[in-house]
Amino acid sequence: STDERFDKTPLNAVRRHPERANYDRATIASIVREAKILHVAFNDDAGNPQCIPMLGAWDDGPDGQPYIYLHGTWHDMFDISI
């Protein structure tokens, strides 16, 4: 989709200082493009929070969908199903 804003859901809602949250696609894309290192956070199988710094890149695909590419050392920390 080429929507200008991402839908706010329970999965992506900013909980700490929600007044500073921004779901605008162009703003998020500019942050990801500038950052270079993205921090991927998740809970492992035991429920413990994990955060892995990874190289990342944003790409607007030919279908208009945004894609985030991640590169880093995984060491079986997590699996991604898309």
Side-chain angles (χ1 to χ4, degrees):
S1 154
T2 57
D3 294 337
E4 293 182 23
R5 297 180 62 78
F6 289 105
D7 292 334
K8 181 180 172 184
T9 70
L11 184 63
N12 69 5
V14 174
R15 293 176 190 82
R16 186 172 180 189
H17 294 290
E19 70 280 4
R20 295 176 15 193
N22 192 323
Y23 298 88
D24 177 69
R25 179 183 169 138
T27 300
I28 295 168
S30 70
I31 292 168
V32 173
R33 284 187 176 118
E34 184 69 25
K36 306 301 183 229
I37 297 177
L38 306 179
H39 291 83
V40 179
F42 60 95
N43 289 332
D44 65 18
D45 291 340
N48 299 312
Q50 304 290 327
C51 184
I52 301 175
M54 306 179 97
L55 296 175
W58 176 288
D59 181 42
D60 289 310
D63 57 359
Q65 288 290 328
Y67 292 90
I68 295 179
Y69 297 95
L70 301 172
H71 175 71
T73 304
W74 297 74
H75 292 292
D76 297 326
M77 290 294 289
F78 63 98
D79 294 321
I80 295 180
S81 299
I82 299 179

Coordinates of all heavy atoms in Angstrom, one line a residue:
S1 N 0.8 -1.2 0.0 CA 0.0 0.0 0.0 C 0.9 1.2 0.0 O 2.0 1.2 0.6 CB -0.9 -0.1 1.2 OG -1.3 1.2 1.6
T2 N 0.4 2.3 -0.6 CA 1.2 3.5 -0.6 C 0.5 4.6 0.3 O 0.7 5.8 0.1 CB 1.2 4.1 -2.0 OG1 -0.1 4.3 -2.5 CG2 2.0 3.2 -3.0
D3 N -0.1 4.1 1.4 CA -0.7 5.0 2.4 C 0.3 5.9 2.9 O 1.5 5.5 3.1 CB -1.4 4.2 3.5 CG -2.6 3.4 3.0 OD1 -3.1 3.7 2.0 OD2 -2.9 2.4 3.7
E4 N -0.1 7.1 3.3 CA 0.9 8.1 3.9 C 1.2 7.8 5.3 O 2.2 8.3 5.8 CB 0.3 9.5 3.7 CG 0.2 9.9 2.2 CD -0.3 11.3 2.0 OE1 -0.1 12.1 3.0 OE2 -0.8 11.6 0.9
R5 N 0.3 7.0 6.0 CA 0.5 6.8 7.4 C 0.4 5.3 7.7 O -0.4 4.6 7.0 CB -0.5 7.5 8.3 CG -0.4 9.0 8.2 CD -1.4 9.7 9.1 NE -1.2 9.4 10.5 CZ -0.3 10.0 11.3 NH1 0.5 10.8 10.8 NH2 -0.3 9.7 12.6
F6 N 1.1 4.8 8.6 CA 1.0 3.4 9.0 C -0.2 3.3 10.0 O -0.3 4.3 10.9 CB 2.2 2.8 9.7 CG 3.3 2.6 8.7 CD1 4.4 3.5 8.7 CD2 3.3 1.5 7.8 CE1 5.5 3.3 7.8 CE2 4.3 1.3 6.9 CZ 5.4 2.2 6.9
D7 N -1.0 2.3 10.0 CA -2.0 2.1 11.0 C -1.4 1.9 12.4 O -0.4 1.2 12.5 CB -2.9 0.9 10.6 CG -3.7 1.1 9.4 OD1 -4.0 2.3 9.1 OD2 -4.1 0.1 8.7
K8 N -2.0 2.5 13.4 CA -1.6 2.3 14.8 C -2.3 1.0 15.2 O -3.5 0.9 15.2 CB -1.9 3.5 15.6 CG -1.5 3.3 17.1 CD -1.9 4.6 17.8 CE -1.7 4.4 19.3 NZ -2.2 5.5 20.1
T9 N -1.5 0.0 15.7 CA -2.0 -1.2 16.2 C -1.4 -1.5 17.6 O -0.4 -0.8 18.0 CB -1.6 -2.4 15.3 OG1 -0.2 -2.6 15.4 CG2 -2.0 -2.1 13.8
P10 N -1.9 -2.5 18.4 CA -1.3 -2.8 19.6 C 0.1 -3.3 19.5 O 0.9 -3.1 20.4 CB -2.2 -4.0 20.2 CG -3.5 -3.7 19.5 CD -3.2 -3.2 18.2
L11 N 0.5 -3.8 18.3 CA 1.8 -4.3 18.1 C 2.8 -3.1 17.9 O 4.0 -3.2 18.3 CB 1.9 -5.2 16.9 CG 3.2 -5.9 16.6 CD1 3.6 -6.8 17.8 CD2 3.1 -6.7 15.3
N12 N 2.4 -2.1 17.3 CA 3.4 -1.0 17.0 C 3.1 0.3 17.8 O 3.8 1.3 17.6 CB 3.4 -0.7 15.5 CG 2.1 0.0 15.0 OD1 1.2 0.3 15.7 ND2 2.0 0.2 13.7
A13 N 2.2 0.3 18.7 CA 1.8 1.5 19.4 C 3.0 1.9 20.3 O 3.5 1.1 21.1 CB 0.5 1.3 20.2
V14 N 3.3 3.2 20.3 CA 4.3 3.7 21.2 C 3.7 3.9 22.6 O 2.6 4.6 22.7 CB 4.9 5.1 20.7 CG1 5.8 5.7 21.7 CG2 5.6 4.9 19.4
R15 N 4.2 3.3 23.6 CA 3.7 3.3 25.0 C 4.3 4.4 25.8 O 3.7 5.0 26.7 CB 3.8 2.0 25.6 CG 2.9 0.9 24.9 CD 3.1 -0.5 25.6 NE 2.5 -1.5 24.8 CZ 3.0 -2.1 23.7 NH1 4.2 -1.7 23.2 NH2 2.4 -3.0 23.0
R16 N 5.6 4.6 25.7 CA 6.3 5.6 26.4 C 6.3 6.9 25.7 O 6.9 7.0 24.6 CB 7.8 5.1 26.7 CG 8.5 6.0 27.6 CD 9.8 5.4 28.0 NE 10.5 6.4 28.9 CZ 11.7 6.2 29.3 NH1 12.4 5.2 28.9 NH2 12.3 7.1 30.1
H17 N 5.8 7.9 26.2 CA 5.6 9.2 25.6 C 4.9 9.1 24.3 O 5.4 9.5 23.2 CB 7.0 9.9 25.4 CG 7.7 10.3 26.6 ND1 7.2 11.3 27.5 CD2 8.8 9.8 27.2 CE1 8.0 11.4 28.5 NE2 9.0 10.5 28.4
P18 N 3.7 8.6 24.3 CA 2.9 8.4 23.1 C 2.6 9.7 22.4 O 2.4 9.8 21.1 CB 1.6 7.8 23.5 CG 1.5 8.1 25.0 CD 2.9 8.1 25.5
E19 N 2.7 10.9 23.1 CA 2.5 12.2 22.5 C 3.6 12.5 21.5 O 3.5 13.3 20.6 CB 2.4 13.3 23.5 CG 3.7 13.6 24.3 CD 4.1 12.7 25.4 OE1 3.4 11.6 25.6 OE2 5.1 12.9 26.1
R20 N 4.8 11.8 21.6 CA 5.9 12.0 20.6 C 5.9 11.0 19.5 O 6.7 11.1 18.6 CB 7.2 11.9 21.4 CG 7.3 13.0 22.4 CD 8.5 12.9 23.3 NE 9.6 12.0 22.9 CZ 10.6 11.7 23.7 NH1 10.7 12.1 24.9 NH2 11.6 10.9 23.3
A21 N 4.9 10.1 19.5 CA 4.9 9.1 18.4 C 4.5 9.7 17.1 O 3.8 10.7 17.0 CB 3.8 8.0 18.8
N22 N 5.0 9.1 16.0 CA 4.7 9.5 14.6 C 4.5 8.3 13.8 O 5.4 7.5 13.7 CB 5.8 10.4 14.1 CG 5.4 11.2 12.9 OD1 4.7 10.6 12.0 ND2 5.8 12.4 12.7
Y23 N 3.4 8.2 13.1 CA 3.1 7.0 12.3 C 3.1 7.4 10.8 O 2.7 6.6 9.9 CB 1.8 6.4 12.7 CG 1.8 5.9 14.1 CD1 1.4 6.7 15.2 CD2 2.2 4.6 14.4 CE1 1.5 6.3 16.5 CE2 2.2 4.1 15.7 CZ 1.8 5.0 16.7 OH 1.9 4.5 18.0
D24 N 3.7 8.6 10.5 CA 3.8 9.1 9.1 C 4.9 8.3 8.4 O 6.0 8.2 8.9 CB 4.2 10.5 9.2 CG 4.4 11.1 7.8 OD1 3.4 11.2 7.0 OD2 5.5 11.4 7.5
R25 N 4.5 7.7 7.3 CA 5.4 6.8 6.5 C 6.7 7.6 6.1 O 7.8 7.0 6.2 CB 4.7 6.3 5.3 CG 5.5 5.4 4.4 CD 4.7 5.0 3.2 NE 5.6 4.4 2.2 CZ 5.3 3.3 1.5 NH1 4.1 2.8 1.7 NH2 6.1 2.8 0.7
A26 N 6.6 8.8 5.6 CA 7.8 9.5 5.2 C 8.8 9.8 6.4 O 10.0 9.7 6.2 CB 7.4 10.8 4.5
T27 N 8.2 10.1 7.5 CA 9.0 10.3 8.7 C 9.8 9.1 9.1 O 11.0 9.1 9.4 CB 8.2 10.9 9.9 OG1 7.5 12.1 9.5 CG2 9.0 11.1 11.1
I28 N 9.0 8.0 9.2 CA 9.7 6.7 9.6 C 10.7 6.3 8.6 O 11.8 5.8 8.9 CB 8.6 5.6 9.8 CG1 7.7 6.0 11.0 CG2 9.2 4.2 10.0 CD1 6.4 5.2 11.1
A29 N 10.4 6.4 7.3 CA 11.4 6.1 6.2 C 12.6 6.9 6.4 O 13.8 6.4 6.3 CB 10.8 6.2 4.9
S30 N 12.5 8.2 6.7 CA 13.7 9.0 6.8 C 14.5 8.6 8.0 O 15.8 8.7 7.9 CB 13.3 10.5 6.8 OG 12.7 10.8 8.0
I31 N 13.9 8.2 9.1 CA 14.6 7.8 10.3 C 15.4 6.5 10.0 O 16.6 6.4 10.3 CB 13.7 7.6 11.5 CG1 13.1 9.0 11.9 CG2 14.4 6.9 12.6 CD1 12.0 8.9 12.9
V32 N 14.8 5.6 9.4 CA 15.4 4.3 9.1 C 16.5 4.5 8.0 O 17.6 3.9 8.2 CB 14.4 3.2 8.5 CG1 15.1 2.0 8.1 CG2 13.4 2.9 9.6
R33 N 16.3 5.3 7.0 CA 17.3 5.5 6.0 C 18.6 6.2 6.6 O 19.7 6.0 6.2 CB 16.8 6.4 4.9 CG 15.9 5.6 4.0 CD 15.5 6.5 2.8 NE 14.7 5.7 1.8 CZ 13.5 5.9 1.5 NH1 12.8 7.0 2.0 NH2 12.8 5.2 0.7
E34 N 18.4 7.1 7.6 CA 19.5 7.8 8.2 C 20.2 7.0 9.2 O 21.4 7.2 9.4 CB 18.9 9.1 8.8 CG 20.0 10.0 9.4 CD 20.9 10.7 8.4 OE1 20.4 10.9 7.2 OE2 22.0 11.0 8.7
A35 N 19.5 6.1 9.9 CA 20.0 5.4 11.1 C 21.1 4.5 10.8 O 22.1 4.4 11.5 CB 18.9 4.7 11.9
K36 N 21.0 3.7 9.7 CA 22.0 2.6 9.4 C 22.0 1.4 10.3 O 22.0 0.3 9.9 CB 23.4 3.2 9.2 CG 23.5 4.3 8.3 CD 23.1 4.0 6.9 CE 23.3 5.2 6.0 NZ 22.2 5.6 5.2
I37 N 22.0 1.7 11.6 CA 21.9 0.6 12.6 C 20.5 0.6 13.2 O 20.1 1.6 13.8 CB 23.0 0.7 13.7 CG1 24.4 0.5 13.0 CG2 22.8 -0.4 14.7 CD1 25.5 0.7 14.0
L38 N 19.8 -0.5 13.0 CA 18.5 -0.7 13.6 C 18.5 -1.6 14.8 O 19.2 -2.6 14.7 CB 17.5 -1.2 12.5 CG 17.5 -0.4 11.2 CD1 16.5 -1.1 10.2 CD2 17.1 1.0 11.4
H39 N 17.8 -1.3 15.8 CA 17.7 -2.2 17.0 C 16.4 -3.0 16.9 O 15.3 -2.4 16.9 CB 17.8 -1.4 18.3 CG 19.1 -0.8 18.5 ND1 19.5 0.4 17.8 CD2 20.2 -1.2 19.1 CE1 20.7 0.7 18.2 NE2 21.2 -0.3 19.0
V40 N 16.5 -4.3 16.7 CA 15.4 -5.2 16.6 C 15.1 -5.8 18.0 O 16.0 -6.5 18.5 CB 15.7 -6.3 15.6 CG1 14.5 -7.3 15.5 CG2 16.0 -5.7 14.2
A41 N 14.0 -5.5 18.6 CA 13.6 -6.0 19.9 C 12.5 -7.0 19.8 O 11.6 -6.9 19.0 CB 13.2 -4.8 20.8
F42 N 12.6 -8.0 20.7 CA 11.5 -9.0 20.8 C 11.7 -9.7 22.1 O 12.6 -9.5 22.8 CB 11.8 -10.0 19.6 CG 13.1 -10.7 19.6 CD1 13.3 -11.9 20.2 CD2 14.2 -10.1 19.1 CE1 14.5 -12.5 20.3 CE2 15.5 -10.6 19.2 CZ 15.6 -11.9 19.7
N43 N 10.7 -10.6 22.4 CA 10.8 -11.5 23.6 C 11.1 -12.9 23.1 O 10.5 -13.4 22.2 CB 9.4 -11.5 24.3 CG 9.1 -10.2 25.0 OD1 10.0 -9.5 25.4 ND2 7.9 -9.9 25.2
D44 N 12.1 -13.5 23.8 CA 12.5 -14.8 23.4 C 11.5 -15.9 23.9 O 10.5 -15.5 24.5 CB 14.0 -15.1 23.8 CG 14.1 -15.2 25.3 OD1 13.1 -15.3 26.1 OD2 15.3 -15.1 25.8
D45 N 11.8 -17.1 23.6 CA 10.9 -18.2 24.0 C 10.6 -18.3 25.5 O 9.5 -18.7 25.9 CB 11.4 -19.5 23.5 CG 11.3 -19.7 22.0 OD1 10.6 -18.9 21.4 OD2 12.1 -20.5 21.5
A46 N 11.5 -17.8 26.3 CA 11.4 -17.8 27.8 C 10.7 -16.5 28.2 O 10.4 -16.3 29.4 CB 12.7 -17.9 28.5
G47 N 10.3 -15.6 27.3 CA 9.7 -14.4 27.7 C 10.6 -13.2 28.0 O 10.2 -12.2 28.5
N48 N 11.9 -13.5 27.9 CA 12.9 -12.4 28.2 C 13.1 -11.4 27.1 O 13.2 -11.9 25.9 CB 14.2 -13.1 28.5 CG 14.2 -14.0 29.7 OD1 13.6 -13.7 30.7 ND2 14.7 -15.2 29.5
P49 N 13.1 -10.1 27.4 CA 13.3 -9.2 26.3 C 14.7 -9.3 25.7 O 15.7 -9.4 26.4 CB 13.1 -7.8 27.0 CG 13.3 -8.1 28.4 CD 13.0 -9.5 28.7
Q50 N 14.8 -9.1 24.4 CA 16.1 -9.2 23.7 C 16.1 -8.0 22.7 O 15.1 -7.6 22.2 CB 16.2 -10.4 22.9 CG 16.1 -11.7 23.7 CD 17.3 -12.0 24.6 OE1 18.4 -11.6 24.3 NE2 17.0 -12.6 25.7
C51 N 17.3 -7.5 22.5 CA 17.5 -6.4 21.5 C 18.8 -6.6 20.8 O 19.8 -6.7 21.4 CB 17.5 -5.0 22.2 SG 17.5 -3.6 21.1
I52 N 18.7 -6.7 19.5 CA 19.9 -7.0 18.6 C 20.1 -5.8 17.7 O 19.2 -5.5 16.9 CB 19.7 -8.3 17.8 CG1 19.4 -9.4 18.8 CG2 20.9 -8.5 16.9 CD1 19.1 -10.7 18.0
P53 N 21.3 -5.2 17.7 CA 21.6 -4.1 16.8 C 21.9 -4.8 15.4 O 22.7 -5.8 15.4 CB 22.8 -3.4 17.3 CG 23.4 -4.4 18.3 CD 22.3 -5.3 18.7
M54 N 21.4 -4.3 14.3 CA 21.6 -4.9 13.0 C 21.7 -3.7 12.0 O 21.1 -2.7 12.2 CB 20.4 -5.8 12.6 CG 20.1 -6.9 13.6 SD 18.7 -7.9 13.1 CE 19.6 -9.2 12.4
L55 N 22.5 -4.0 11.0 CA 22.5 -3.1 9.8 C 21.2 -3.2 9.1 O 20.6 -4.2 9.0 CB 23.6 -3.4 8.8 CG 25.0 -3.3 9.3 CD1 26.0 -3.8 8.3 CD2 25.4 -1.9 9.7
G56 N 20.6 -2.0 8.7 CA 19.3 -2.0 8.1 C 19.2 -1.0 7.0 O 20.0 -0.1 6.9
A57 N 18.3 -1.3 6.1 CA 18.0 -0.4 5.0 C 16.5 -0.5 4.6 O 15.9 -1.5 4.7 CB 18.8 -0.9 3.7
W58 N 16.0 0.7 4.2 CA 14.6 0.8 3.8 C 14.5 0.9 2.3 O 15.4 1.5 1.7 CB 14.0 2.1 4.4 CG 12.6 2.5 4.0 CD1 12.2 2.9 2.8 CD2 11.5 2.5 4.8 NE1 10.9 3.2 2.8 CE2 10.4 2.9 4.0 CE3 11.3 2.1 6.1 CZ2 9.1 3.0 4.5 CZ3 10.0 2.2 6.6 CH2 8.9 2.7 5.8
D59 N 13.6 0.2 1.7 CA 13.4 0.2 0.3 C 11.9 0.2 0.0 O 11.1 -0.5 0.6 CB 14.0 -1.0 -0.4 CG 13.9 -1.0 -1.9 OD1 14.1 0.0 -2.5 OD2 13.6 -2.1 -2.4
D60 N 11.5 1.1 -0.9 CA 10.1 1.1 -1.4 C 10.1 0.2 -2.6 O 10.7 0.5 -3.6 CB 9.7 2.5 -1.8 CG 9.5 3.4 -0.6 OD1 8.8 3.0 0.4 OD2 10.1 4.5 -0.6
G61 N 9.4 -0.9 -2.5 CA 9.4 -1.9 -3.5 C 8.5 -1.5 -4.7 O 7.8 -0.5 -4.6
P62 N 8.7 -2.2 -5.8 CA 7.9 -1.8 -7.0 C 6.4 -1.9 -6.8 O 5.6 -1.2 -7.6 CB 8.4 -2.8 -8.1 CG 9.0 -3.9 -7.3 CD 9.5 -3.3 -6.0
D63 N 6.0 -2.6 -5.8 CA 4.6 -2.8 -5.5 C 4.1 -1.7 -4.6 O 2.9 -1.7 -4.2 CB 4.3 -4.1 -4.9 CG 5.1 -4.4 -3.7 OD1 5.9 -3.6 -3.3 OD2 4.9 -5.5 -3.1
G64 N 5.0 -0.8 -4.2 CA 4.6 0.3 -3.3 C 4.7 0.0 -1.8 O 4.5 0.8 -1.0
Q65 N 5.0 -1.3 -1.5 CA 5.2 -1.7 -0.1 C 6.5 -1.3 0.4 O 7.5 -1.4 -0.3 CB 5.0 -3.2 0.0 CG 3.6 -3.7 -0.2 CD 2.7 -3.3 0.9 OE1 3.1 -3.2 2.1 NE2 1.4 -3.1 0.6
P66 N 6.6 -0.9 1.6 CA 7.9 -0.7 2.2 C 8.6 -2.0 2.7 O 7.9 -2.9 3.2 CB 7.6 0.2 3.4 CG 6.2 -0.1 3.8 CD 5.5 -0.5 2.5
Y67 N 9.9 -2.1 2.4 CA 10.6 -3.3 2.9 C 11.8 -2.8 3.7 O 12.5 -1.8 3.3 CB 11.2 -4.1 1.7 CG 10.1 -4.7 0.9 CD1 9.5 -4.1 -0.2 CD2 9.6 -6.0 1.2 CE1 8.4 -4.7 -0.9 CE2 8.6 -6.6 0.5 CZ 8.0 -5.9 -0.6 OH 7.0 -6.5 -1.3
I68 N 12.0 -3.5 4.8 CA 13.2 -3.2 5.6 C 14.1 -4.4 5.6 O 13.7 -5.5 5.9 CB 12.8 -2.9 7.1 CG1 12.0 -1.6 7.1 CG2 14.1 -2.8 8.0 CD1 11.6 -1.2 8.5
Y69 N 15.3 -4.2 5.1 CA 16.3 -5.3 5.0 C 17.2 -5.2 6.2 O 17.7 -4.2 6.6 CB 17.1 -5.2 3.7 CG 16.2 -5.3 2.5 CD1 15.7 -4.1 1.9 CD2 15.9 -6.5 2.0 CE1 14.9 -4.3 0.7 CE2 15.1 -6.6 0.8 CZ 14.6 -5.5 0.2 OH 13.8 -5.6 -0.9
L70 N 17.4 -6.4 6.8 CA 18.3 -6.5 8.0 C 19.4 -7.4 7.8 O 19.3 -8.4 7.1 CB 17.5 -7.1 9.2 CG 16.2 -6.3 9.6 CD1 15.4 -7.0 10.6 CD2 16.6 -4.9 10.2
H71 N 20.6 -7.0 8.3 CA 21.8 -7.8 8.2 C 22.5 -7.8 9.5 O 22.8 -6.7 10.1 CB 22.7 -7.3 7.1 CG 24.0 -8.0 7.0 ND1 24.1 -9.3 6.4 CD2 25.3 -7.6 7.3 CE1 25.3 -9.7 6.5 NE2 26.1 -8.7 7.0
G72 N 22.8 -9.0 10.0 CA 23.6 -9.0 11.3 C 23.8 -10.5 11.6 O 23.5 -11.4 10.9
T73 N 24.4 -10.7 12.8 CA 24.7 -12.0 13.3 C 23.5 -12.5 14.1 O 23.1 -11.9 15.1 CB 25.9 -12.0 14.2 OG1 27.0 -11.4 13.5 CG2 26.3 -13.4 14.7
W74 N 22.9 -13.5 13.6 CA 21.6 -14.0 14.1 C 21.8 -15.0 15.3 O 21.2 -15.0 16.3 CB 20.8 -14.7 13.0 CG 20.4 -13.7 12.0 CD1 21.2 -13.2 11.0 CD2 19.1 -13.1 11.8 NE1 20.5 -12.4 10.2 CE2 19.2 -12.3 10.7 CE3 17.9 -13.2 12.5 CZ2 18.2 -11.5 10.2 CZ3 16.9 -12.5 12.0 CH2 17.0 -11.6 10.9
H75 N 22.8 -15.9 15.1 CA 23.1 -16.9 16.2 C 21.9 -17.6 16.8 O 21.7 -17.8 18.0 CB 23.9 -16.3 17.3 CG 25.3 -15.9 16.9 ND1 26.3 -16.8 16.6 CD2 25.9 -14.7 16.8 CE1 27.4 -16.2 16.3 NE2 27.1 -14.9 16.4
D76 N 20.9 -17.9 15.9 CA 19.7 -18.6 16.3 C 18.9 -17.9 17.4 O 18.2 -18.5 18.2 CB 20.0 -20.0 16.7 CG 20.6 -20.8 15.6 OD1 20.2 -20.6 14.5 OD2 21.4 -21.7 15.9
M77 N 19.1 -16.5 17.5 CA 18.3 -15.8 18.5 C 16.8 -15.8 18.2 O 16.0 -15.8 19.1 CB 18.9 -14.4 18.6 CG 20.3 -14.3 19.2 SD 20.3 -14.8 20.9 CE 19.5 -13.4 21.7
F78 N 16.5 -15.7 16.9 CA 15.1 -15.7 16.6 C 14.9 -16.0 15.1 O 15.8 -16.0 14.3 CB 14.4 -14.3 16.9 CG 15.0 -13.2 16.1 CD1 14.3 -12.7 15.0 CD2 16.1 -12.5 16.5 CE1 14.7 -11.6 14.3 CE2 16.6 -11.4 15.7 CZ 15.9 -11.0 14.6
D79 N 13.7 -16.4 14.8 CA 13.3 -16.7 13.4 C 12.3 -15.7 13.0 O 11.4 -15.3 13.8 CB 12.7 -18.1 13.3 CG 13.7 -19.2 13.6 OD1 14.8 -19.1 13.2 OD2 13.3 -20.2 14.2
I80 N 12.3 -15.3 11.8 CA 11.3 -14.3 11.3 C 10.4 -15.1 10.3 O 10.9 -15.7 9.4 CB 12.0 -13.1 10.6 CG1 12.8 -12.3 11.6 CG2 10.9 -12.3 9.9 CD1 13.4 -11.1 11.0
S81 N 9.2 -15.0 10.5 CA 8.2 -15.5 9.5 C 7.4 -14.4 8.9 O 6.8 -13.6 9.7 CB 7.2 -16.5 10.2 OG 7.9 -17.6 10.8
I82 N 7.5 -14.3 7.6 CA 6.8 -13.2 7.0 C 5.8 -13.8 6.0 O 6.0 -14.7 5.4 CB 7.8 -12.3 6.2 CG1 8.7 -11.7 7.2 CG2 7.0 -11.2 5.4 CD1 9.8 -10.8 6.6

